[in-house]
Amino acid sequence: MTTDLSPTPADDAPRAVPKWTPWAVTAAAAGAHVLVFVDKGLLGIVAKPIRAEFGMSATTYGMISSATYLLTMISCLVIGLSGRRISTRVVLLGCGLLCTIGQIPAALAAGAVMLVLSRVVVGTAEGPTVPLAHNAAYSWFPADRRGMPAAVITSGASFAKIALLPVISLLVVAFGWRIGFVAIGVIAVVWTTVWFFIGRPGPYAGSDDSTGGASSSDRSWMRGLRTPTMLACLFATFAQGALAAVVFTWLPSYFQNGLGYSATTAGVLFALPSVAGVGALVLIGGIGDRLMRAGASAKVGRGRVGGICLLLSGVVLAAIPAIDAPVVAVAAVTLGYGFSVAVNTVTFPVVSELFSASRRAGALAMITAASAAAGIVSPLVAGRLVDTAAAPGSGYTASFLVFGTLLAAGGLIFALAVDPSRDRAVRA
């Protein structure tokens, strides 16, 4: 018996649509990334003033950050297990509204409890947002053209850090940390309104109902989750998610406490990895699409290209403890973390190719759940390293060593194990 993970007839027979529509939906999906990642980045910007006002240790603040990722993981798992019983458009609208509501307790917080409550609500909203945004855009593109849409969507995170977080940082310096959460709520309202008018499923949002019934599809789904390709995607995303959670929570503090920059300068420097990230997203996504259109398999165009990128990123980050010059350390973070964000431009297209269209949203949600699971633990680990460090800054550099090494391992496994063509045809 052959596992039913191949593209469905609906994936191969697109209907005629206006040329601008796929990219309009992709732009709106990128807006979802802007919302999610500007919210995550805010936690790093407000870390120092919140800790000072409430007398928090680094470990306690790490717990607040982890609260976001706990509910992100749970909501992703719910979406993944829901399979075909979800509406991408409706769920994303609900996520936008919930993200808006979740900013209110933080803006009015009088202590850690209300901050945790806010992060729990927002984390619930952010969980499905990333995978469903990708799924919505992929419904407008065939498999060999999803690298660039993935790059555009993921670049929303970079746009958030380059264009919005420095502005929010200035607002926080001028008006206090609470204004940051108010600003995120406004962004959430704007994005939800845009998605209401633009978000629509495309011609590749097919169904596999004709391929063997629900029970057969469910068996194929479970076998697909256990394939080497899927496991490699899960591990690579877990590794990069752990690093990302640490960066979003502690990078501005590292620039201030470890390297001696001012709060305003740290907010600006926080955007630098995203500048490198934009280049990495376009480069890695474009190379993968070009190789596949030229006849290369996803094993090469996604697996080898993406795996090498992640491996090198991890090596650069792990070397930061050996760097003494602040400028060089900033450059290492910029290149190491910046290029690691290309993970979604390879993992998400691979997973979308591995699973049939009706299971795509659930599979992508599982990938995001892996990233969120890492985010539950890594800010706490980094916070503990900071609290117990013998010298200022050494706790932050120790975190880069730990999570850079993990990322390098994820990249190596990804390069060696990913082969969706093989795993679509795996036998029960």
Side-chain angles (χ1 to χ4, degrees):
M1 180 178 178
T2 300
T3 302
D4 177 24
L5 300 176
S6 58
T8 65
D11 287 322
D12 297 322
R15 63 181 182 270
V17 294
K19 291 183 179 180
W20 58 267
T21 303
W23 291 106
V25 175
T26 301
H33 266 237
V34 171
L35 172 60
V36 169
F37 286 94
V38 76
D39 175 79
K40 292 181 185 297
L42 177 64
L43 290 182
I45 291 173
V46 300
K48 190 171 183 177
I50 286 180
R51 288 180 60 196
E53 180 170 332
F54 298 128
M56 292 181 185
S57 68
T59 303
T60 300
Y61 192 76
M63 178 195 69
I64 293 173
S65 178
S66 295
T68 303
Y69 295 93
L70 174 62
L71 268 294
T72 295
M73 181 190 70
I74 293 174
S75 58
C76 279
L77 291 175
V78 169
I79 292 296
L81 295 175
S82 297
R84 292 163 289 182
R85 296 182 295 276
I86 61 172
S87 166
T88 297
R89 179 174 182 270
V90 172
V91 174
L92 281 173
L93 287 173
C95 290
L97 292 173
L98 193 59
C99 187
T100 303
I101 295 170
Q103 306 303 326
I104 297 174
L108 301 176
V113 174
M114 291 185 71
L115 287 171
V116 170
L117 174 63
S118 171
R119 302 323 299 167
V120 165
V121 174
V122 173
T124 303
E126 292 179 351
T129 300
V130 170
L132 291 184
H134 278 266
N135 187 53
Y138 293 167
S139 72
W140 292 94
F141 296 90
D144 63 352
R145 294 184 179 273
R146 289 175 183 160
M148 284 306 296
V152 171
I153 297 168
T154 307
S155 70
S158 298
F159 176 82
K161 287 177 279 184
I162 294 170
L164 295 181
L165 285 179
V167 175
I168 292 177
S169 180
L170 293 174
L171 290 174
V172 168
V173 171
F175 302 104
W177 59 266
R178 298 175 193 275
I179 195 66
F181 294 100
V182 174
I184 303 302
V186 172
I187 294 172
V189 171
V190 172
W191 178 81
T192 304
T193 303
V194 171
W195 186 254
F196 178 81
F197 290 104
I198 293 180
R200 293 290 186 276
Y204 297 94
S207 170
D208 61 356
D209 291 343
S210 63
T211 60
S215 61
S216 174
S217 178
D218 289 343
R219 288 194 298 271
S220 298
W221 160 251
M222 295 307 299
R223 286 195 298 273
L225 294 178
R226 298 193 299 267
T227 58
T229 294
M230 186 65 178
L231 293 175
C233 288
L234 288 169
F235 185 74
T237 308
F238 179 91
Q240 202 279 334
L243 171 67
V246 170
V247 166
F248 277 114
T249 305
W250 297 116
L251 187 57
S253 296
Y254 168 58
F255 288 150
Q256 294 178 64
N257 302 329
L259 301 181
Y261 293 103
S262 68
T264 302
T265 302
V268 174
L269 292 177
F270 193 21
L272 288 184
S274 299
V275 176
V278 171
L281 291 167
V282 175
L283 178 65
I284 301 303
I287 289 175
D289 280 0
R290 190 172 298 111
L291 287 173
M292 291 182 66
R293 288 199 298 270
S297 66
K299 176 181 179 179
V300 175
R302 310 290 188 212
R304 296 288 169 78
V305 172
I308 291 172
C309 177
L310 296 177
L311 172 61
L312 294 177
S313 295
V315 170
V316 170
L317 290 167
I320 288 177
I323 298 174
D324 294 325
V327 173
V328 179
V330 170
V333 173
T334 297
L335 294 176
Y337 175 68
F339 271 72
S340 79
V341 302
V343 65
N344 282 352
T345 68
V346 288
T347 55
F348 278 29
V350 163
V351 172
S352 72
E353 184 176 345
L354 182 62
F355 289 88
S356 57
S358 66
R359 290 295 188 181
R360 188 183 298 144
L364 294 177
M366 291 296 183
I367 292 293
T368 305
S371 176
I376 296 172
V377 179
S378 61
L380 283 171
V381 173
R384 184 61 179 168
L385 289 173
V386 170
D387 279 339
T388 58
S394 61
Y396 301 107
T397 57
S399 298
F400 285 123
L401 173 61
V402 170
F403 296 107
T405 301
L406 182 65
L407 179 67
L412 180 61
I413 292 171
F414 192 82
L416 296 176
V418 164
D419 189 351
S421 296
R422 175 200 64 205
D423 291 338
R424 278 202 310 270
V426 66
R427 294 190 177 276

